[in-house]
Amino acid sequence: MNLDYLASVDGVLLDGLRLTVVATLLGAAIALVLGLLIACVQLARVPVLFQAITVLVIVIRNTPLLGQLFFMFYVLPRYGIRLDALTVGVLALGVHFSCYAAQALRGGFLAVPRGQWEACSVLGLSRTTTLWKVVLPQALPPVVPTLTNLLISMFKDSAVLSAITVLELLGTTRNLASTSFQYTTLFTAMGLMYLAIALPASLAVRRLEHRLSRRTARA
Amino acid sequence: MTELVNDRGSGISLAGVTKRYGDHVVLDGIDLEVPAGERVSLIGPSGSGKTTVLRCIARLEAIQSGSITVEGTEVARRTEKRTGPPAADVAAAMRGVGMVFQQFNLFPNMSVMDNLTIAPTRVLGLGAEEARARAEGLLELVGLAAKARAYPSQLSGGQQQRVAIARALAMRPSVLLFDEVTSALDPELVGEVLEVIRGLAAASDVTMLIVTHEMQFARDVSDRVIYMEGGSVVEQGPPDAVLADPADERTQRFLRRLLDH
Ligand SMILES: Nc1ncnc2c1ncn2[C@@H]1O[C@H](COP(=O)(O)OP(=O)(O)O)[C@@H](O)[C@H]1O
Ligand SMILES: [Mg+2]
């Protein structure tokens, strides 16, 4: 480890880390909203939309994220959709992970007993009130660990954005290395930075899972 | 005016209602009248269709033929007539129908108070203060005034079912449907729930349709007992007649078997 060298570039690396975090958070917001919509379409079996989404989910889950990223980056402009690399990257992350989030959310919805919907129906509550006040608050907490694990995966997988010129943490590190040749120092520092964020998050998920299982045991 | 048109307060009526699951006929063209204010107990062996009757009235199940009228409004239909009443009228009539479930179905993510106020505020448009006052009164009535801030998981089964009764009452229903509301309870908790329903029957004129296996309770609380089997009404009449001196052999057999246990 060349600490003097590291001290001279730590600001650049931290900028890369910041971009990684931003891309992850934006991607996660898209994945959550889109995942919720996909889960609703699948549960309600909305005609046409349901079939379209089924195809999308199959494609997303059975092709590499990097391939999806390239597809969006190189193909969309040919149809007049010009977006900067970061936007494409965030969209690709969001769409990719929304398919996995949808699966988790669907499980959460299905775990809410039918009697809850029926009680709402007999009380005359609207569908919106039923969903937001009764069903979602029961469907979400059990899947928070799964969703957080997806968030951690997305955080790590956001490194693929470097392949379309986004200078997030991995791209920045590689850039620096290509001129300074300080491979050991740079990639060790990069690894520690990913760890510094992903590890505490993983530990938090484990504690959360533990608490949830205790709560269900009590109920 | 609407009240005159809808003839509110005329109870429940089922005319030729058929309910099928696939080929399995659960209700076989059943006719049933419960005039406003009457307390009717529905008894019969497991699988005879008692729960289904309540669920069809509550519009939790679609019917395959016949029609169901609640407080003068036809709320479910499968007849040759072309048009039914507007959806808004159906919704208005259904607001008068409350149901208490075997499994309570309280909302576990809300306090007892919120369980009681969510429908009155969102469906009836009550102000927060008014809904709260109404809920406090009802909790008093079911003997749980001290539990307003508790969550359902912190209550015993008997307490939860009393909250569920209060939640139904918070909508000021004119019709209440009870589906074996004590069947999921430990034996020592059955009494407190039946006591609440007895009190309600004595203190109000709400129409009640009660599915129960508690024969003594049915006898005390009902004006009429209906014995069902195989999706049809077999026998009905005053509780003393049906329960103590049934005319139909099937009713006799059912009651005898109940006594043996
Ligand atoms: N969702 C369903 N799908 C298929 N069959 C059902 C369903 N619900 C009830 N049944 C059948 O309908 C019959 C009547 O059920 P139910 O009304 O619950 O009877 P009871 O309340 O008198 O015990 C039973 O044979 C039951 O198996
Ligand atoms: Mg039943």
Side-chain angles (χ1 to χ4, degrees):
Chain A
M1 286 286 278
N2 183 340
L3 290 181
D4 289 338
Y5 171 72
L6 193 58
S8 72
V9 296
D10 63 350
V12 184
L13 283 175
L14 281 174
D15 280 345
L17 179 62
R18 199 169 300 130
L19 197 55
T20 288
V21 170
V22 167
T24 304
L25 292 181
L26 292 175
I30 293 173
L32 189 64
V33 174
L34 199 57
L36 213 50
L37 285 174
I38 292 175
C40 287
V41 167
Q42 287 175 327
L43 288 170
R45 296 189 161 264
V46 184
V48 187
L49 221 50
F50 175 72
Q51 281 81 6
I53 285 206
T54 307
V55 172
L56 175 78
V57 171
I58 289 175
V59 171
I60 296 280
R61 294 180 64 127
N62 293 287
T63 57
L65 172 58
L66 188 57
Q68 295 159 20
L69 188 65
F70 281 155
F71 184 87
M72 288 180 71
F73 190 62
Y74 293 113
V75 176
L76 288 186
R78 304 206 152 212
Y79 295 91
I81 306 172
R82 285 176 201 292
L83 304 167
D84 63 280
L86 180 61
T87 310
V88 171
V90 164
L91 280 175
L93 284 177
V95 171
H96 181 84
F97 279 92
S98 70
C99 293
Y100 296 92
Q103 188 183 26
L105 291 167
R106 211 170 56 218
F109 276 116
L110 291 174
V112 176
R114 250 180 58 182
Q116 293 289 305
W117 295 88
E118 294 178 353
C120 290
S121 166
V122 172
L123 286 171
L125 297 177
S126 69
R127 279 196 162 272
T128 326
T129 304
T130 302
L131 206 56
W132 284 100
K133 296 289 167 178
V134 177
V135 176
L136 264 181
Q138 294 179 61
L140 275 183
V143 298
V144 164
T146 309
L147 293 178
T148 313
N149 278 329
L150 285 174
L151 182 67
I152 295 169
S153 294
M154 192 187 308
F155 171 69
K156 294 180 296 177
D157 291 351
S158 67
V160 299
L161 268 56
S162 63
I164 57 165
T165 74
V166 176
L167 287 180
E168 41 63 72
L169 182 53
L170 184 98
T172 303
T173 311
R174 207 182 44 188
N175 251 11
L176 289 170
S178 68
T179 53
S180 71
F181 307 110
Q182 297 282 343
Y183 292 110
T184 313
T185 303
L186 281 168
F187 284 107
T188 306
M190 179 200 78
L192 290 174
M193 283 178 163
Y194 276 116
L195 265 174
I197 292 190
L199 187 60
S202 299
L203 293 177
V205 174
R206 277 184 47 189
R207 281 187 41 188
L208 205 63
E209 275 173 336
H210 188 66
R211 276 205 357 223
L212 277 174
S213 64
R214 265 205 337 233
R215 202 202 292 176
T216 29
R218 247 191 297 132
Chain B
M1 278 314 282
T2 345
E3 301 205 14
L4 282 177
V5 174
N6 280 349
D7 187 22
R8 291 185 78 80
S10 57
I12 313 165
S13 145
L14 279 70
V17 171
T18 302
K19 171 73 201 173
R20 279 188 307 264
Y21 292 104
D23 290 340
H24 183 34
V25 178
V26 175
L27 298 182
D28 195 5
I30 204 168
D31 294 310
L32 193 75
E33 292 279 343
V34 184
E38 200 186 12
R39 282 63 193 263
V40 175
S41 287
L42 207 50
I43 64 170
S46 175
S48 56
K50 307 179 297 294
T51 295
T52 306
V53 166
L54 299 195
R55 290 176 60 84
C56 288
I57 295 169
R59 297 188 88 226
L60 294 173
E61 302 286 351
I63 60 176
Q64 275 72 49
S65 69
S67 90
I68 300 177
T69 304
V70 170
E71 303 297 24
T73 302
E74 192 178 43
V75 297
R77 56 190 282 110
R78 258 317 143 83
T79 57
E80 296 309 308
K81 277 189 289 173
R82 274 166 298 133
T83 51
D89 289 1
V90 171
M94 291 312 293
R95 241 169 267 148
V97 177
M99 181 161 178
V100 184
F101 301 85
Q102 189 173 340
Q103 300 296 339
F104 329 139
N105 294 345
L106 290 177
F107 305 132
N109 56 311
M110 295 179 203
S111 67
V112 165
M113 179 54 76
D114 290 346
N115 265 277
L116 265 62
T117 55
I118 182 170
T121 51
R122 290 181 178 262
V123 180
L124 304 180
L126 253 59
E129 272 317 304
E130 198 183 346
R132 175 167 287 273
R134 183 183 285 194
E136 278 164 358
L138 289 169
L139 286 176
E140 193 90 44
L141 183 77
V142 300
L144 292 171
K147 297 292 185 185
R149 297 159 72 102
Y151 279 78
S153 62
Q154 298 168 317
L155 304 179
S156 72
Q159 292 173 328
Q160 289 187 56
Q161 195 58 295
R162 282 144 69 197
V163 172
I165 293 170
R167 181 176 69 175
L169 289 172
M171 293 295 284
R172 298 257 165 95
S174 53
V175 171
L176 270 178
L177 310 171
F178 294 90
D179 187 16
E180 290 195 39
V181 295
T182 58
S183 292
L185 299 178
D186 293 334
E188 73 271 20
L189 302 176
V190 168
E192 64 190 54
V193 173
L194 296 184
E195 213 38 59
V196 165
I197 302 175
R198 278 197 182 93
L200 199 61
S204 76
D205 57 0
V206 63
T207 311
M208 292 185 184
L209 186 51
I210 305 168
V211 173
T212 183
H213 285 301
E214 303 283 340
M215 293 305 145
Q216 187 55 50
F217 168 69
R219 208 164 173 161
D220 296 346
V221 85
S222 338
D223 302 311
R224 178 157 54 111
V225 171
I226 299 179
Y227 176 74
M228 269 184 79
E229 200 177 301
S232 306
V233 171
V234 168
E235 175 170 6
Q236 56 178 312
D240 282 333
V242 175
L243 295 174
D245 187 21
D248 197 284
E249 182 205 332
R250 287 167 289 179
T251 318
Q252 293 166 7
R253 196 172 341 116
F254 169 75
L255 291 171
R256 208 176 315 122
R257 224 176 276 145
L258 214 61
L259 278 179
D260 288 347
H261 286 299

